Amino acid sequence: MIKQCRIWWPKHLSSTEPSSSFTFLFGWFISCSSVSLDIVVAFACDESSFSGCQSSLKEILCDTSRSMSITLQDKSMFSLLGQCAACPSNNDQLFGIGVGDNDQRKYSTCRIACALNSEGMLRKRNRRYYCGCHKLDGLLEKHRQAANGSNRWVEMIYDPYEIHGRNIHCIPKLHHIHWNGRLVSQCNVHVILYETPRYGACHFSLSFWNSSKKAKIPLKEPKWIDELHQKQPLNDLDAVILAMNSATASKMVFERHVGSSRSFTKFSIICRLIGLVWQLLAVSMASLSTIFYIFLQFLHSLLSFGSQSWIYTASKRLFNTTWINIQIRCGQILFWPILLQDNDLRSQSCVGYAEKAALHKHSMWSSLAVDLLLGNLIGFSLLFNAESVCFWVLDFANDTTNELLRTGCVWLMGVPAGFKLNTELAGVLGMVSLNAIQIWSTLWFFVDSLFIYLVKGLAILGILFGMTVPAALVRDMIVVVTLHVSTLHWMISLLYSQQIQALAALWRLFRGRKWNPLRQRLDSYEYTVKQHIVGSLLFTPLLLLLPTTSVFYIFFTMTNTSISLICMLIEVIISIIHATPYIKIVLWLVRRRRFPAGIWFEIVSCHSNSVNSPEIVSLDKISSPSKNSLHQENISGRSHVLVSILHSNFLTIGQIVIPHYRQVFTRVSRSYFARSAYGVLTGKRISSTLGTKLPSTMPWMLIPYKEYWCLCRNSILACMPKCHCHLFQ
């Protein structure tokens, strides 16, 4: 027994004047309980739409339903819902909104005229079923009986002269419902006006698009949660939202069957001009991409030829970040025509799926375009100012080497900050450090003349491959240039860590404890007197030499950590450039309605009628033309009519961008910084990479040049906007 009925009505059907007094409603019946029913109206068409129909209605509905998503087909099948007729009644009233006294007088006059016109119309037809359904003629009556034969039919009425305001000309009223052999004429009705979702305009969603993470379920759930899951839900909003998002697709499939014989093509100059422009763009982009494809294939063949040499292996290990970013960029350049093609059949059945597929399809080339734009800006700036940049970098390197490293080592060999250090050990460590710095500076003196070519090479790489590739090369070059600092830090940290471990072991000796490596614990142990004496002799010099080692270790740790932080910063910048959803940001700035995040209802009107509800009639006993044969069960109650407008909440810019940036740091654990701090204190070497996430590399593509050119051309032509040159009358 249906007690609640929600009618999801397209807003444009109420915003325009009805073209006919009778319209057929198409959509979905969605019911997940015996007391609740959702009627999602996708579109409406009048009687003239079936005049040129060659196929049967059952075939059209089956084909339309098969075109929808599998999820929606499992919930409900696309069907002929019923009909909506213009039939004013003094008993069925939905109140007007914002109607003044003058409008009320016009409203009364209009209702009188409507009643007279409707009376003439009914006299002309003069045929009704006793349940209230209209008898139609010929093929239309067969369509109605075919739909009614499935025991699902809804009869709705509207008053075309009733004034509601807010650009709402008519609101449908539920007359009765045929449902599973019974007739329900009174129940609580909620009419929800929604804007038909269209691709590129709007659609509906109950949750965030990026909410892929599932909530953590506790190990033991309370009993009331299990009881709540066992209860049958009153409605299925997910299926309703999916049906509304599929309304446009269902209408297109239906019109392709019904209106095919009445369509005609109107070629205009604008359509031909748009096609010519897209043809020229496709040919030019395909030619440019093919030239780049040939260049990349040539470089790949050269690298493959020398892949077994030690130079190739060493360079790949030294410039690992650059190598990975070049692979990512080459894969994006080679595979962009494949990723640009629309191969997702599911996106054709639902606006929500189409939006997600379009964003996924355009995210790669938008990231590539922004990266190339930034690379060209920085590349041309470096190319035109190569000499000044080269002079500034060399001057900064000399100042860092002389003022920081050499002066710092000399300062540590004396009395740094008033600390009394061991002169001999400080002298040895200082001289080793100064000699390593001098040798490395001498080697790089011969590279100074070639540095300007390196700057120009970075500029060319930025112009060709975007900003991420030269940024990765800069990061690897910083690691190579500061190799002497890393080596000195490794050497002194090894000395410091061994000294700390020896002091810790000797301290355990004095306490009578011994480390058990098998059980990973400290056990009691009785040491001999000789062991205590040897331990005392070793503990004293190690403890006294610890300040000297610690000072050098702190100095080179600070220097190496600064270099590592710069490398990590460049690594994070590269990952952020790859992960930023540029197409989503642009679309959000232009049209926020393409990013829904939940729904809400704006109540337009609400009233209740004291009637006998629900009224149920058995359809098995409507065989006799007598009204007395109608077996009715009246249960006293009150029926409510609620009219509301469906709206969407929208994502903020942070809700769009932050999930992508969160994916960048998925590999960075929260204990990374704690482990790094512990490593600094104990003398362990910390990593110079943060481990941020980069896009996955793609396999190498090797197809004939002509085939690749055709692939690029067809991909661009597939994105050509369709010129709507055919009209349905």
Side-chain angles (χ1 to χ4, degrees):
M1 181 175 61
I2 298 176
K3 295 181 180 180
Q4 298 177 358
C5 179
R6 283 170 296 274
I7 302 174
W8 304 80
W9 187 264
K11 193 175 181 180
H12 70 274
L13 295 180
S14 297
S15 301
T16 57
E17 292 288 346
S19 58
S20 176
S21 59
F22 279 86
T23 55
F24 289 94
L25 306 178
F26 293 87
W28 295 268
F29 288 107
I30 300 175
S31 176
C32 58
S33 65
S34 59
V35 297
S36 179
L37 174 64
D38 287 279
I39 302 175
V40 182
V41 180
F43 59 91
C45 61
D46 53 13
E47 303 172 11
S48 60
S49 301
F50 296 95
S51 60
C53 181
Q54 301 296 331
S55 303
S56 64
L57 180 62
K58 185 177 181 180
E59 295 177 356
I60 297 175
L61 294 178
C62 290
D63 184 68
T64 306
S65 183
R66 284 193 298 266
S67 301
M68 300 298 101
S69 63
I70 301 298
T71 306
L72 184 57
Q73 293 182 38
D74 294 338
K75 298 289 184 179
S76 176
M77 301 299 290
F78 184 80
S79 60
L80 174 60
L81 302 177
Q83 62 183 357
C84 185
C87 184
S89 175
N90 293 328
N91 296 327
D92 300 331
Q93 293 181 0
L94 289 176
F95 40 80
I97 300 171
V99 181
D101 295 336
N102 296 330
D103 293 334
Q104 289 288 352
R105 289 192 292 268
K106 295 179 181 179
Y107 169 70
S108 301
T109 305
C110 291
R111 286 188 62 88
I112 295 172
C114 177
L116 294 175
N117 293 334
S118 180
E119 184 179 359
M121 178 192 67
L122 292 177
R123 287 176 180 175
K124 182 178 179 181
R125 292 183 178 268
N126 198 22
R127 287 195 299 173
R128 280 176 179 264
Y129 288 101
Y130 290 102
C131 63
C133 296
H134 292 273
K135 286 186 178 181
L136 303 176
D137 296 328
L139 185 61
L140 298 178
E141 179 63 19
K142 293 182 180 180
H143 293 333
R144 194 200 70 80
Q145 291 179 359
N148 202 0
S150 62
N151 296 325
R152 294 183 179 184
W153 183 265
V154 58
E155 187 76 16
M156 304 181 70
I157 59 174
Y158 68 91
D159 189 351
Y161 292 95
E162 190 172 7
I163 301 175
H164 299 278
R166 298 192 185 186
N167 295 325
I168 299 176
H169 293 88
C170 60
I171 294 179
K173 307 173 188 178
L174 180 64
H175 190 270
H176 65 272
I177 303 174
H178 297 265
W179 188 257
N180 295 332
R182 297 197 174 193
L183 186 142
V184 180
S185 60
Q186 293 294 336
C187 62
N188 295 329
V189 180
H190 185 187
V191 180
I192 304 168
L193 305 179
Y194 72 93
E195 185 176 353
T196 304
R198 290 178 291 109
Y199 174 74
C202 67
H203 67 284
F204 298 102
S205 177
L206 290 178
S207 60
F208 295 164
W209 284 13
N210 300 316
S211 59
S212 58
K213 291 186 177 180
K214 296 183 179 179
K216 293 183 179 180
I217 302 176
L219 297 178
K220 186 177 181 180
E221 296 181 350
K223 293 183 178 180
W224 64 270
I225 294 182
D226 297 334
E227 295 176 357
L228 187 63
H229 286 299
Q230 291 175 2
K231 288 184 178 180
Q232 189 176 14
L234 294 178
N235 56 2
D236 191 355
L237 275 181
D238 291 327
V240 171
I241 295 297
L242 182 59
M244 288 191 296
N245 289 334
S246 304
T248 303
S250 64
K251 184 178 180 181
M252 293 175 61
V253 176
F254 186 84
E255 288 181 346
R256 187 164 60 243
H257 288 280
V258 176
S260 59
S261 61
R262 293 174 287 103
S263 63
F264 64 95
T265 307
K266 179 182 177 182
F267 293 97
S268 62
I269 299 177
I270 298 178
C271 292
R272 294 182 179 181
L273 183 60
I274 292 175
L276 179 61
V277 170
W278 275 95
Q279 288 284 350
L280 294 176
L281 178 64
V283 171
S284 59
M285 288 297 297
S287 302
L288 183 62
S289 300
T290 305
I291 294 174
F292 213 90
Y293 175 77
I294 296 173
F295 174 70
L296 291 179
Q297 293 294 341
F298 175 73
L299 292 180
H300 184 261
S301 61
L302 289 180
L303 293 176
S304 300
F305 179 74
S307 60
Q308 302 299 328
S309 61
W310 66 271
I311 298 177
Y312 176 84
T313 306
S315 61
K316 186 177 180 180
R317 184 173 300 177
L318 281 176
F319 300 96
N320 184 39
T321 307
T322 306
W323 182 257
I324 293 175
N325 281 271
I326 288 177
Q327 283 183 318
I328 293 172
R329 180 62 66 236
C330 291
Q332 291 176 345
I333 293 175
L334 293 177
F335 280 87
W336 73 263
I338 297 177
L339 297 177
L340 196 61
Q341 291 180 350
D342 188 9
N343 296 323
D344 190 5
L345 298 177
R346 189 181 68 164
S347 63
Q348 301 176 4
S349 62
C350 179
V351 178
Y353 296 156
E355 291 284 354
K356 292 182 181 180
L359 291 177
H360 178 73
K361 179 175 66 174
H362 297 302
S363 60
M364 191 277 294
W365 72 260
S366 61
S367 177
L368 177 61
V370 173
D371 195 0
L372 288 174
L373 178 61
L374 294 175
N376 279 267
L377 291 176
I378 297 177
F380 283 110
S381 300
L382 286 177
L383 203 59
F384 293 132
N385 302 282
E387 294 182 357
S388 58
V389 171
C390 182
F391 176 77
W392 181 83
V393 172
L394 292 176
D395 187 53
F396 176 77
N398 291 328
D399 292 342
T400 303
T401 302
N402 296 325
E403 300 297 332
L404 180 62
L405 295 179
R406 286 196 176 98
T407 306
C409 290
V410 173
W411 178 63
L412 293 177
M413 293 170 66
V415 186
F419 287 99
K420 181 62 177 177
L421 305 180
N422 185 275
T423 308
E424 289 75 11
L425 181 59
V428 171
L429 295 178
M431 289 303 298
V432 170
S433 302
L434 288 175
N435 289 331
I437 294 170
Q438 183 61 40
I439 292 172
W440 196 255
S441 300
T442 304
L443 292 176
W444 278 103
F445 176 78
F446 300 101
V447 187
D448 290 350
S449 58
L450 304 176
F451 189 74
I452 188 171
Y453 299 105
L454 177 62
V455 174
K456 293 182 179 180
L458 286 174
I460 295 174
L461 281 177
I463 295 172
L464 295 178
F465 293 96
M467 180 182 174
T468 54
V469 173
L473 183 59
V474 168
R475 188 255 178 209
D476 291 335
M477 287 298 299
I478 290 175
V479 174
V480 173
V481 169
T482 59
L483 188 60
H484 60 300
V485 178
S486 302
T487 304
L488 291 173
H489 175 260
W490 171 78
M491 180 189 68
I492 296 177
S493 63
L494 180 63
L495 178 62
Y496 174 78
S497 63
Q498 294 296 327
Q499 195 170 355
I500 290 292
Q501 292 177 9
L503 288 173
L506 292 173
W507 180 250
R508 290 195 297 269
L509 184 145
F510 298 147
R511 294 172 57 203
R513 312 281 289 187
K514 183 179 181 181
W515 175 254
N516 189 343
L518 296 178
R519 297 182 179 271
Q520 294 293 314
R521 69 181 186 184
L522 289 173
D523 296 335
S524 299
Y525 188 80
E526 294 183 0
Y527 293 96
T528 62
V529 178
K530 293 182 180 180
Q531 290 175 334
H532 280 282
I533 294 174
V534 173
S536 301
L537 294 176
L538 293 176
F539 183 80
T540 303
L542 287 176
L543 182 62
L544 294 177
L545 292 176
L546 183 62
T548 304
T549 311
S550 300
V551 168
F552 277 88
Y553 173 73
I554 292 172
F555 174 75
F556 282 101
T557 298
M558 293 174 60
T559 306
N560 188 68
T561 304
S562 301
I563 297 171
S564 299
L565 289 177
I566 294 174
C567 295
M568 290 180 185
L569 179 61
I570 298 175
E571 182 182 354
V572 170
I573 292 174
I574 293 172
S575 299
I576 287 178
I577 291 176
H578 282 298
T580 302
Y582 302 102
I583 190 67
K584 290 184 179 181
I585 295 175
V586 173
L587 291 178
W588 184 87
L589 295 174
V590 175
R591 189 179 292 273
R592 291 184 58 189
R593 301 181 66 186
R594 299 183 69 170
F595 300 92
I599 57 176
W600 60 281
F601 300 92
E602 178 189 1
I603 298 178
V604 176
S605 64
C606 179
H607 76 283
S608 60
N609 298 326
S610 296
V611 294
N612 295 329
S613 69
E615 180 180 301
I616 305 175
V617 181
S618 178
L619 293 182
D620 297 335
K621 300 183 179 181
I622 310 183
S623 58
S624 174
S626 175
K627 293 185 179 180
N628 297 327
S629 63
L630 297 178
H631 177 70
Q632 300 182 357
E633 299 176 7
N634 297 330
I635 302 175
S636 61
R638 181 180 295 269
S639 66
H640 299 272
V641 179
L642 177 65
V643 180
S644 61
I645 300 177
L646 182 64
H647 297 279
S648 287
N649 295 320
F650 306 110
L651 295 176
T652 62
I653 190 66
Q655 292 172 335
I656 294 175
V657 176
I658 289 177
H660 292 270
Y661 291 161
R662 191 180 290 116
Q663 290 291 329
V664 173
F665 299 99
T666 51
R667 298 178 182 175
V668 183
S669 61
R670 295 182 179 180
S671 61
Y672 173 80
F673 300 99
R675 287 188 285 104
S676 300
Y678 179 76
V680 169
L681 294 176
T682 57
K684 295 181 180 179
R685 191 176 182 183
I686 61 175
S687 177
S688 60
T689 60
L690 195 59
T692 55
K693 187 177 181 180
L694 291 173
S696 58
T697 57
M698 301 179 182
W700 192 260
M701 177 188 292
L702 186 59
I703 59 175
Y705 304 143
K706 185 177 181 180
E707 184 177 348
Y708 185 78
W709 184 89
C710 295
L711 182 63
C712 296
R713 176 179 173 273
N714 295 333
S715 299
I716 297 177
L717 291 179
C719 298
M720 182 175 62
K722 296 180 180 180
C723 187
H724 299 283
C725 298
H726 59 277
L727 302 173
F728 293 94
Q729 294 181 342

